[in-house]
Amino acid sequence: MKKTYNIEVDCANCALLMENATKQTAGVENAVVNFMTQKMTVEFSEGADEKAVMKSVLKACHKVEPDCEIEL
């Protein structure tokens, strides 16, 4: 399953770091963070709990940029 979220990220470099952090999160098959559109597209693994995975993604992204926001 693929889902797109609105995000707030301050720079293109942070967006790339957030994308890489998201890709390494358990339950995520693939992720793309677009700085220009302020969107994050996440492809979840088969049978993954979307809400639990996104909590982990948000935690990982806060390590990159503590004030980032993801509209869940």
Side-chain angles (χ1 to χ4, degrees):
M1 172 177 56
K2 219 183 238 193
K3 194 156 181 188
T4 301
Y5 300 91
N6 292 321
I7 62 167
E8 272 186 39
V9 59
D10 294 336
C11 69
N13 186 53
C14 291
L16 180 62
L17 293 172
M18 288 170 62
E19 181 177 301
N20 291 335
T22 301
K23 286 179 180 178
Q24 294 173 12
T25 303
V28 174
E29 283 291 317
N30 195 20
V32 176
V33 176
N34 188 315
F35 171 68
M36 295 302 289
T37 62
Q38 296 282 296
K39 302 258 186 224
M40 170 188 278
T41 302
V42 180
E43 186 175 343
F44 297 95
S45 302
E46 183 89 21
D49 177 7
E50 176 191 334
K51 290 184 186 210
V53 170
M54 287 310 295
K55 273 182 113 175
S56 297
V57 166
L58 185 58
K59 192 173 185 179
C61 289
H62 277 161
K63 290 180 183 175
V64 173
E65 188 176 297
D67 64 342
C68 80
E69 292 295 329
I70 302 173
E71 290 182 23
L72 306 175

